[in-house]
Amino acid sequence: MEENNSPLPAAATASPAGTVAAAPSEKPTDETIKETFEAIIIAFILAFVFRAYVVEAFVIPTGSMAPTLLGEHVNIVCPQCGYHFNVNSPIPPGASQALCPMCHFPISMKGLSVSAGDRILVHKFLYTISEPRRWDVVVFKNPYDPRINYIKRLVGLPNESLWVIDGNLFVKSQTNNADWHIARKSDRPRVQRDVWQPIYHSQYIPLDRGSSGIDRVEHEWHVPWRAVKGNWSLAQRRSYEHLGGGHGEIAFDFPSAHVGPHWYAYNQFERREADKVDHEPIEDVRIAASVQPSGSGASVKFHTTARLDSLPQEDAVSRLTGSIDATGKVTLEASRLDGGQPRPLGTAQVTPLAAGVSRHVELWYVDQQASLWVDDQRVIVANFDIDIATATGRAPAPQYPEISIEVDGPSVTLHGVEVDRDLYYSSVQYGNPTNHGQGVFVRNRASESPPVNLESDQFFCMGDNSPLSHDSRFWQSVNPWIEKRMFDEEVPPHIQKFGIVPRKLMMGRAFFVYFPAPYPLAPGGSAVLPNFGDMRFIH
């Protein structure tokens, strides 16, 4: 084996024992500078390509999509009941108080800071490989000012006609001579759950017990549920208990809940404007509670009323009932308010209600569809598909439905009792007349105005906060550049162009709130604390 006799480098032999000599420094060469510069350029190119074609971030500026998405707003926690809610911003001059939607306590706005809007992510490539779906939340260029980006919910699709009647959306295809039918948000249950508007949830009760102090002169609070039959413990209770067993019933009293039929908590500073227009009735509701019996053999029934036109007499308000009996048989049925034999709408079977076990039960009536849910599973659904002549000609719904809950058998406790309402696509904006653009939105009598007709590559969009959303209903002009390049010049502008979103203006689908409006570090301070708990997917 050959021995290596070459001398050690001077730097190595000069190193002290137990130390490691530092490597000689090298000056950057032209090649390393070039490689670094190329890496930076490539990173920038990839970032711009990703932003342009894949995902882009946006900030929500206004409240037109509330409560699904929040623009600039004031975040409020009621000091009496703890309910967390948001109010639109800016606060009008002279508006010094907000009213808690749950316990009606007037809350001073003095010192409360304004929070920025939600920051969202938008799929920009999605609609190049798939068609937009009704109820998607979409971002698009404003047709009358394409420098502005709008975010709304997609309600009208290409080659169809649409008509808003009694706050609901009716559509029909123009390509196959189809009949008019209602478009149901409940076909996408996650969408429907996101747009429910709370009316009253039983877990919120005020510390002042609704006493008539100086802050309660106009808005004294009472439990909006009242006992109809049986011995109930309701007052100052988050859970309602039917004592002693047997038959019991409670009913919801809308006036006690101080519910304005056109009033959302988010818009409450515009309430004076809302009072200038006719209020729409409440008909589409959700009733929910967790039912916990003290023993076996319990049954429960949830009731609401609505115009169920598939029943014999037109325009009649009927009672809708969803029930679970002692054997676990689930029934959905309709009956006339003046009595008569109930009409079965569907049956199913679940595990019977057991002693000490809470079962979550929900009854929905929304978009002319009834459904009963048990433990977050839809077990029965029934559709009421009425013809367009009935929809446009029937009398308006009563101001409020008649909502009640019945129990039978052993003592039963109802936890988390909730009443919600559906969003209502308004005929008018606050303070604005009905006829805007096509004049498509009318109150109760839709036959007074024509529907919207969409051609290929055309869409129609509206905001979830319908009373305050400037959307396809109310646009009265089209940018000349957009009009010349994206619309058929043969079509009269008052029919085809106002309110239409051409496909080329669609930017993508909103899918995630990555940075919700932050919280302030202290009351009245700047909102800087990230609200990671409200990060969510958008439905």
Side-chain angles (χ1 to χ4, degrees):
M1 188 172 186
E2 187 175 354
E3 185 178 356
N4 184 0
N5 293 319
S6 60
L8 292 172
T13 57
S15 299
T19 65
V20 178
S25 61
E26 297 182 4
K27 295 182 179 181
T29 64
D30 291 342
E31 188 67 25
T32 58
I33 294 175
K34 180 181 178 182
E35 290 175 354
T36 302
F37 184 73
E38 287 177 348
I40 294 173
I41 294 298
I42 291 172
F44 270 103
I45 291 174
L46 291 176
F48 281 114
V49 169
F50 188 81
R51 179 183 182 275
Y53 296 105
V54 185
V55 173
E56 184 174 354
F58 292 87
V59 179
I60 306 299
T62 69
S64 69
M65 280 296 292
T68 309
L69 299 171
L70 301 178
E72 286 192 357
H73 64 280
V74 179
N75 184 280
I76 301 175
V77 178
C78 177
Q80 283 293 332
C81 70
Y83 183 63
H84 179 120
F85 65 104
N86 302 296
V87 173
N88 199 11
S89 176
I91 302 171
S96 59
Q97 293 181 329
L99 195 65
C100 174
M102 292 294 161
C103 73
H104 324 134
F105 187 78
I107 303 166
S108 173
M109 302 295 294
K110 185 177 180 180
L112 296 182
S113 60
V114 175
S115 297
D118 290 331
R119 289 166 170 80
I120 64 170
L121 297 177
V122 174
H123 278 302
K124 300 190 73 174
F125 75 97
L126 185 63
Y127 292 150
T128 63
I129 59 176
S130 65
E131 280 294 300
R133 299 173 62 195
R134 196 186 325 277
W135 314 124
D136 283 353
V137 177
V138 296
V139 174
F140 55 92
K141 294 291 184 182
N142 185 339
Y144 63 84
D145 188 352
R147 297 170 299 177
I148 302 174
N149 299 324
Y150 266 23
I151 182 165
K152 307 290 179 186
R153 194 173 294 278
L154 179 59
V155 299
L157 301 175
N159 297 312
E160 74 177 11
S161 299
L162 67 126
W163 213 342
V164 172
I165 304 168
D166 287 342
N168 296 321
L169 182 69
F170 285 75
V171 297
K172 76 168 182 175
S173 172
Q174 298 183 33
T175 59
N176 57 9
N177 295 319
D179 293 330
W180 288 96
H181 65 278
I182 195 167
R184 295 187 169 99
K185 298 180 295 299
S186 52
D187 290 341
R188 296 174 64 177
R190 289 298 302 271
V191 172
Q192 184 61 63
R193 287 194 178 276
D194 278 7
V195 300
W196 285 121
Q197 307 278 335
I199 292 177
Y200 180 69
H201 294 180
S202 67
Q203 61 265 42
Y204 298 104
I205 56 175
L207 296 174
D208 70 351
R209 300 176 180 269
S211 60
S212 299
I214 189 172
D215 294 324
R216 290 289 193 184
V217 173
E218 298 183 21
H219 305 290
E220 185 175 358
W221 182 82
H222 302 281
V223 178
W225 289 93
R226 57 182 176 83
V228 177
K229 296 178 182 177
N231 181 20
W232 288 88
S233 177
L234 302 176
Q236 306 304 321
R237 296 290 301 272
R238 291 180 172 85
S239 298
Y240 303 147
E241 187 175 1
H242 180 234
L243 305 171
H247 182 234
E249 182 178 2
I250 56 175
F252 191 76
D253 182 43
F254 278 90
S256 293
H258 286 228
V259 177
H262 200 143
W263 179 64
Y264 297 159
Y266 192 85
N267 302 338
Q268 62 177 290
F269 289 127
E270 285 72 27
R271 199 173 183 185
R272 289 186 294 272
E273 294 284 343
D275 290 339
K276 298 177 183 178
V277 301
D278 295 334
H279 289 317
E280 286 88 357
I282 293 176
E283 187 171 35
D284 292 5
V285 295
R286 166 185 172 268
I287 312 156
S290 292
V291 182
Q292 183 180 354
S294 61
S296 60
S299 62
V300 63
K301 294 181 179 180
F302 286 33
H303 304 283
T304 188
T305 56
R307 295 166 299 168
L308 308 180
D309 295 284
S310 61
L311 292 177
Q313 184 177 335
E314 290 186 347
D315 294 337
V317 175
S318 303
R319 183 179 305 279
L320 180 69
T321 300
S323 62
I324 305 176
D325 72 9
T327 67
K329 182 181 178 181
V330 182
T331 303
L332 194 63
E333 61 186 17
S335 59
R336 303 197 57 78
L337 293 180
D338 56 6
Q341 188 69 22
R343 174 189 172 187
L345 302 173
T347 60
Q349 187 69 38
V350 297
T351 304
L353 301 174
V357 179
S358 291
R359 303 288 296 278
H360 191 64
V361 183
E362 301 174 65
L363 175 64
W364 292 13
Y365 178 75
V366 58
D367 297 335
Q368 295 178 359
Q369 181 186 79
S371 58
L372 193 68
W373 300 68
V374 180
D375 295 330
D376 298 324
Q377 299 295 318
R378 186 165 60 184
V379 295
I380 303 178
V381 61
N383 296 328
F384 301 91
D385 294 310
I386 66 172
D387 60 84
I388 197 67
T390 301
T392 57
R394 63 182 177 175
Q399 199 70 62
Y400 303 113
E402 298 177 12
I403 291 174
S404 61
I405 300 176
E406 289 186 70
V407 296
D408 211 341
S411 299
V412 173
T413 302
L414 304 176
H415 304 284
V417 185
E418 299 177 348
V419 178
D420 299 336
R421 61 169 292 179
D422 187 28
L423 66 84
Y424 189 107
Y425 288 123
S426 305
S427 304
V428 297
Q429 285 182 311
Y430 284 136
N432 288 342
T434 298
N435 287 327
H436 282 269
Q438 294 101 327
V440 61
F441 293 84
V442 301
R443 202 175 296 279
N444 299 321
R445 297 293 180 181
S447 57
E448 296 174 5
S449 184
V452 171
N453 298 307
L454 301 174
E455 303 298 326
S456 59
D457 297 326
Q458 293 182 350
F459 301 90
F460 203 82
C461 302
M462 295 193 289
D464 286 358
N465 187 359
S466 184
L468 283 186
S469 177
H470 189 59
D471 53 37
S472 286
R473 297 168 296 167
F474 305 113
W475 301 335
Q476 301 182 65
S477 63
V478 180
N479 180 275
W481 189 91
I482 299 294
E483 182 176 7
K484 183 176 181 180
R485 289 162 176 79
M486 299 185 187
F487 288 95
D488 186 352
E489 295 182 1
E490 301 291 329
V491 180
H494 70 283
I495 295 296
Q496 189 65 27
K497 298 177 183 178
F498 296 160
I500 304 301
V501 181
R503 185 184 294 271
K504 291 182 180 179
L505 297 185
M506 296 283 287
M507 299 178 63
R509 174 176 173 266
F511 72 96
F512 190 69
V513 179
Y514 74 93
F515 194 90
Y519 287 117
L521 293 174
S526 299
V528 296
L529 189 64
N531 180 15
F532 295 119
D534 204 25
M535 296 172 63
R536 61 196 184 276
F537 286 99
I538 300 169
H539 300 285

